[in-house]
Amino acid sequence: MSRVSPGFGNLIRAFLASKKLTFRAASLESGVSAAYWTDMASGRIPSEDVIEKIAAAFGEINENELRSAAGYSLKPGTTDPVEAVDFVLRGQDKLPEKAKREILDFVRETAEKYSGGKSST
Amino acid sequence: MTSGRFEEEAAYFAHRAWESLKLSLPVELARVADKLGIVVSERDFDESIDGLYLRLPGAPPVIAVNTSYVKPPARRRFTLAHEIGHHLLSHDLNTESRLFFFDTFSTRRTFIERACDRFAVLLLMPEDLVRAHYAELEHNPGKRVAVMAERFGVSTWALRRRLRELGLQTRPARKR
């Protein structure tokens, strides 16, 4: 039985609405069936492979945002420290958005300051 | 790693810092951080944030302490000591790995967070010195906590807690 998350469903619906995509159109674009898109819009958590497919098909959608909403860990190989910290902060519901932005700004500034260094996970 | 091991390591690192750096009161946290190669940054963050520890590959470890006016100096010192604890307690991780801890009023009190608090307590208020100053101020019990907090560079709240933990009275005995 698939896991269900209303938050994930909201994210999918908001994405489709912003792109004015029907389930069928999303299916044609991504190679994920329309029925599967319908289920995801209702909150069904897809496999990590499906998330990767969707992110690959739509450049505007952030794979780690989908992974976070689906309860998966940070995508292996993510090298951008800001993205990695952003992933950690997504789950912090009690932390004000202002605080999250400030932390991300600090991480970004630090990463830029030492940009001669290589990033890894 | 078990919570017990973290706590033991916290005690070991605090003891070692005092021995190797020949520290005195109040502990010069900037010197401790500097010795460890940590860059300490002060920042006016949202009041929900106390501080953070960040380690990026190719960069020195960085601690940011919130200097917002709602964070008194003693609180900032405790935060800095706590973040130094994060650095030391993650010493066995690959130095090229990315590491990020942040501390807020709502940070979950995991065993690593508790161990970092423990490190801060032991670094800022070593038992032998707490006992020695407590005894020295024996004849001034009314101001003892305030004077000791000043000497150790901690809040009176943190000091009272430490005194209680060591079985020392925090209030003058009632006159008969």
Side-chain angles (χ1 to χ4, degrees):
Chain A
M1 192 175 169
S2 302
R3 285 191 299 130
V4 171
S5 157
F8 187 81
N10 292 341
L11 188 65
I12 291 295
R13 285 199 303 280
F15 170 70
L16 293 175
S18 71
K19 295 281 293 174
K20 296 187 170 58
L21 284 172
T22 61
F23 294 133
R24 183 159 171 72
S27 166
L28 289 171
E29 193 80 27
S30 62
V32 175
S33 76
Y36 207 109
W37 273 100
T38 309
D39 287 352
M40 288 192 293
S42 300
R44 176 181 173 182
I45 299 290
S47 69
E48 294 179 71
D49 289 345
V50 168
I51 286 181
E52 193 177 352
K53 249 184 181 176
I54 294 171
F58 302 103
E60 313 89 317
I61 204 158
N62 182 303
E63 185 171 352
N64 274 323
E65 187 177 355
L66 286 176
R67 290 179 66 89
S68 172
Y72 293 123
S73 61
L74 182 71
K75 184 187 176 190
T78 301
T79 56
D80 180 4
V82 178
E83 197 175 337
V85 171
D86 183 41
F87 188 86
V88 173
L89 295 177
R90 278 179 198 284
Q92 302 294 324
D93 297 336
K94 289 181 184 167
L95 196 61
E97 287 304 315
K98 176 174 175 277
K100 291 182 183 178
R101 280 198 304 277
E102 289 173 354
I103 290 175
L104 288 173
D105 285 347
F106 182 82
V107 173
R108 189 176 295 110
E109 284 170 29
T110 304
E112 284 170 3
K113 188 172 177 183
Y114 300 101
S115 57
K118 301 183 295 293
S119 290
S120 69
T121 46
Chain B
M1 186 179 279
T2 62
S3 61
R5 182 178 156 196
F6 271 127
E7 299 263 338
E8 279 172 24
E9 285 201 341
Y12 166 75
F13 284 127
H15 180 72
R16 204 172 132 192
W18 269 89
E19 280 213 329
S20 60
L21 298 179
K22 310 252 181 291
L23 297 173
S24 57
L25 293 179
V27 173
E28 284 180 85
L29 292 172
R31 188 155 72 89
V32 177
D34 186 58
K35 197 74 183 172
L36 292 166
I38 303 171
V39 174
V40 178
S41 173
E42 295 187 334
R43 189 99 165 197
D44 190 4
F45 284 123
D46 180 81
E47 63 185 64
S48 60
I49 301 168
D50 283 324
L52 60 88
Y53 173 75
L54 178 66
R55 203 168 77 186
L56 301 177
V62 176
I63 286 174
V65 177
N66 190 357
T67 51
S68 161
Y69 72 95
V70 296
K71 310 287 182 188
R75 171 78 173 266
R76 295 177 198 172
R77 279 175 55 76
F78 194 91
T79 297
L80 177 52
H82 174 102
E83 302 301 342
I84 292 172
H86 272 303
H87 175 80
L88 290 168
L89 293 170
S90 55
H91 68 101
D92 55 354
L93 296 176
N94 179 355
T95 52
E96 279 303 299
S97 65
R98 188 174 49 215
L99 213 53
F100 169 63
F101 293 101
F102 68 99
D103 295 283
T104 70
F105 58 79
S106 62
T107 306
R108 217 153 38 93
R109 305 317 289 169
T110 57
F111 57 82
I112 179 75
E113 295 300 334
R114 286 199 300 272
C116 290
D117 277 349
R118 191 72 194 142
F119 170 78
V121 166
L122 298 177
L123 180 69
L124 296 170
M125 297 173 281
E127 179 174 350
D128 53 345
L129 288 177
V130 171
R131 290 190 185 281
H133 283 258
Y134 184 87
E136 184 202 322
L137 292 162
E138 186 184 5
H139 301 296
N140 194 2
K143 290 186 177 172
R144 179 156 51 188
V145 168
V147 171
M148 285 183 72
E150 178 81 20
R151 288 180 183 178
F152 284 82
V154 298
S155 67
T156 53
W157 183 87
L159 183 76
R160 281 181 196 281
R161 196 172 164 160
R162 182 67 167 140
L163 291 175
R164 277 199 299 275
E165 181 194 34
L166 295 175
L168 302 172
Q169 282 190 327
T170 58
R171 285 181 192 152
R174 280 185 189 167
K175 287 178 184 172
R176 292 187 180 174

